[in-house]
Amino acid sequence: MRSVDALIAHTLGLAEDRITDTLEYQSIREWDSLGHVSLMVALESEYGVTIDDELTLSLRSVAAIRDFVEGQRQPAAHPAAAPPRTVRRGLDGVSFDETTITRIDGVAGTLEYRGYSIHDLAEYASFEEVAHLLVHGELPDESALAAFEKELRAARCLPDQVLALSRSLAHAHPMEALRTCVSALGAFAPRRAVSLDETYEQARDTGIALIAQVPMLVAAHHAYRSGREPVFSTEENSYAHAFLSALLGEPPSEAAVRFMNKGFIVHADHSSNASAFAARVATGSRAGMTAAFTAAIATFAGSVHGGAAERVVRIIDEVGSPERAEQYVADLRGRGEPVMGFGHRVYRTEDPRVRHLRATVVELSQERDDRDGLAILDAVAEAMRPYSRHGLAPNVDLYAGLAYRLLGLPDDLAVPLFVVGRTAGWVAQALEQQANNVLIRPLLDYVGPTGLTHPGAAAAEVRVR
């Protein structure tokens, strides 16, 4: 009789040294649903046992299988009752996988991309460096950065059919247009000759192209609805400069480029938020990178996710002047309503991204000689200070919308501009999922009625009688 490790290794087609207690069903590509069934059949044949559905569900790891086999060699013991299942609504507090992309400490207010502090990256890096870090796993040296920048510039071009689609959607909200046009990019991408399943390399190439194309889609749609034709620079400018040139239809100021570069960096990734999870779910089903992006954008548009960024800037209009900030906060809190731009699902202290966006808003306010909006937001932040120790500190949305206004952009571009920065993170999340893919399939506990009889079936029974 073979050892249990040898049986598992042979059935799954693995080297025996890979059979460890930590190896679990769906943790590797080889141990998929078919592999699991094959493993159950092999266990039945090897040990002369019958494995029912309940046991199949419990033998989901090497450790569990080892314990089961050892139990077959010992006197039978009375089986323990299955523990009750705990429902975590919204998957709150549930870790569904491991990651090497982003570390967040909500209590300490820490955010790191692959080990690098967001404070260092925001102050000293370009967005291209951060995108390379997220996608390729390391900060680029000079030659790698030059090659990556060249790759992004080469991928900016948009298919004529997608530009025509964007023009036809000039009436639509920018997020609706972006979601539709990103999905269309997949239809006009080169078809895979061998398989519909993307390889890791194909997914990465598609993802890098999307990092380059998404900002151009945002700029093109804004140009069309503004009554002008989009113009995309072919010069060797930075990612932020090229985007702003296309978006504004004119060369941007240095302060605007600095703000956009920093904004893209602080927005680049935020671990398993709703949109990144949606991208991973799509990737888990092997839908492809463009499908993962489309799912992420659709999710991000929701009013309690990225969509909140568009609503925050309205605070400036609702408050009107710094002197009214304290009463504004008191009125909202008195009615039990949230103050937009404060609080976060993860952070229990100040969002570490806030200071960097506020610093660039200060610079833009000085450049445009318009400090009113900043004074109002600062006054609201001061009025909210008593709530900060309870987790209602400023979040990343508070100052971003004001910066867009200072650039002369409409409020409804706040969310698409957030998306442009997040593209690098979505690529990294989708690639990490694909590298060790598993179909993400949580459960729902059914609590509805059972055993109901359809009226037609009841009538048929009466007729039979």
Side-chain angles (χ1 to χ4, degrees):
M1 184 178 290
R2 288 176 293 182
S3 71
V4 62
D5 288 9
L7 182 143
I8 296 172
H10 175 75
T11 305
L12 298 180
L14 301 173
E16 193 166 338
D17 61 6
R18 293 184 63 187
I19 309 304
T20 64
D21 272 351
T22 58
L23 190 64
E24 297 181 343
Y25 168 56
Q26 296 281 25
S27 66
I28 57 173
R29 186 183 296 271
E30 293 86 351
W31 197 347
D32 58 8
S33 298
L34 180 58
H36 193 60
V37 171
S38 299
L39 191 51
M40 297 302 104
V41 171
L43 288 169
E44 288 182 324
S45 175
E46 188 77 11
Y47 298 104
V49 296
T50 299
I51 299 178
D52 59 17
D53 289 346
E54 184 175 348
L55 191 52
T56 297
L57 290 175
S58 69
L59 298 178
R60 298 169 62 90
S61 68
V62 168
I65 293 172
R66 285 172 171 169
D67 289 344
F68 169 74
V69 170
E70 183 62 27
Q72 298 305 306
R73 297 168 176 160
Q74 302 293 333
H78 185 71
R85 183 181 292 128
T86 300
V87 175
R88 296 288 185 92
R89 297 197 67 233
L91 301 181
D92 185 47
V94 175
S95 295
F96 71 94
D97 212 332
E98 298 178 336
T99 185
T100 62
I101 300 172
T102 295
R103 185 178 81 89
I104 298 172
D105 184 331
V107 176
T110 300
L111 174 62
E112 294 177 347
Y113 299 158
R114 299 198 185 276
Y116 292 92
S117 167
I118 191 63
H119 302 308
D120 288 351
L121 295 173
E123 289 299 322
Y124 304 111
S126 67
F127 176 69
E128 293 92 324
E129 288 178 276
V130 172
H132 188 283
L133 171 67
L134 290 171
V135 174
H136 291 289
E138 60 185 9
L139 280 175
D141 59 20
E142 188 174 340
S143 61
L145 179 59
F148 189 64
E149 290 171 338
K150 183 178 179 180
E151 188 175 6
L152 288 173
R153 285 195 297 272
R156 285 179 196 162
C157 184
L158 297 171
D160 291 340
Q161 301 95 324
V162 176
L163 284 172
L165 177 60
S166 180
R167 184 197 298 272
S168 74
L169 295 170
H171 66 284
H173 188 284
M175 281 298 287
E176 293 177 339
L178 181 60
R179 182 197 66 230
T180 303
C181 290
V182 166
S183 180
L185 284 174
F188 295 103
R191 306 314 301 166
R192 307 303 180 196
V194 178
S195 171
L196 291 178
D197 284 354
E198 286 180 326
T199 65
Y200 183 91
E201 291 73 22
Q202 289 169 338
R204 184 186 59 210
D205 291 346
T206 299
I208 292 171
L210 285 166
I211 294 173
Q213 291 173 322
V214 165
M216 298 302 109
L217 283 174
V218 173
H221 181 260
H222 183 60
Y224 289 134
R225 69 175 183 160
S226 302
R228 57 182 173 83
E229 290 295 310
V231 177
F232 306 121
S233 173
T234 58
E235 298 178 11
E236 293 189 5
N237 293 321
S238 70
Y239 184 92
H241 191 287
F243 170 58
L244 278 172
S245 295
L247 186 69
L248 302 173
E250 61 185 24
S253 69
E254 292 184 5
V257 172
R258 281 193 294 272
F259 162 75
M260 200 59 66
N261 180 74
K262 192 169 291 189
F264 289 159
I265 290 172
V266 302
H267 286 135
D269 190 64
H270 213 241
S271 193
S272 182
N273 50 61
S275 54
F277 185 69
R280 281 184 175 262
V281 170
T283 302
S285 70
R286 300 184 185 176
M289 183 64 76
T290 304
F293 252 68
T294 306
I297 290 171
T299 305
F300 196 79
S303 62
V304 296
H305 191 14
E310 183 177 329
R311 298 163 59 192
V312 170
V313 74
R314 299 173 192 167
I315 289 177
I316 297 171
D317 305 323
E318 293 168 358
V319 176
S321 67
E323 294 74 23
R324 292 196 65 252
E326 190 171 343
Q327 188 60 50
Y328 172 79
V329 169
D331 289 344
L332 286 180
R333 301 306 296 160
R335 296 195 298 268
E337 297 177 11
V339 181
M340 300 302 295
F342 293 83
H344 195 277
R345 182 76 175 265
V346 175
Y347 296 112
R348 307 308 300 166
T349 184
E350 180 183 293
D351 185 328
R353 301 168 292 181
V354 170
R355 70 178 72 169
H356 302 288
L357 290 186
R358 187 186 178 281
T360 54
V361 168
V362 169
E363 186 178 5
L364 285 173
S365 296
Q366 293 171 344
E367 179 185 80
R368 306 302 164 102
D369 194 23
D370 182 355
R371 297 172 175 81
D372 294 343
L374 179 60
I376 290 172
L377 292 183
D378 281 347
V380 173
E382 182 60 32
M384 285 291 291
R385 189 177 296 277
Y387 302 97
S388 63
R389 67 186 181 89
H390 298 291
L392 291 181
N395 63 38
V396 72
D397 296 327
L398 185 62
Y399 291 99
L402 173 57
Y404 304 144
R405 279 193 178 184
L406 290 169
L407 292 174
L409 300 172
D411 294 347
D412 62 6
L413 277 178
V415 188
L417 295 182
F418 201 140
V419 166
V420 174
R422 186 54 57 87
T423 55
W426 287 339
V427 173
Q429 295 283 344
L431 290 176
E432 185 174 69
Q433 179 69 33
Q434 181 164 344
N436 190 19
N437 210 2
V438 57
L439 180 66
I440 298 173
R441 197 347 184 143
L443 302 174
L444 285 172
D445 277 5
Y446 180 75
V447 295
T450 62
L452 300 181
T453 301
H454 188 277
E461 184 177 349
V462 169
R463 287 195 296 271
V464 170
R465 290 175 183 171

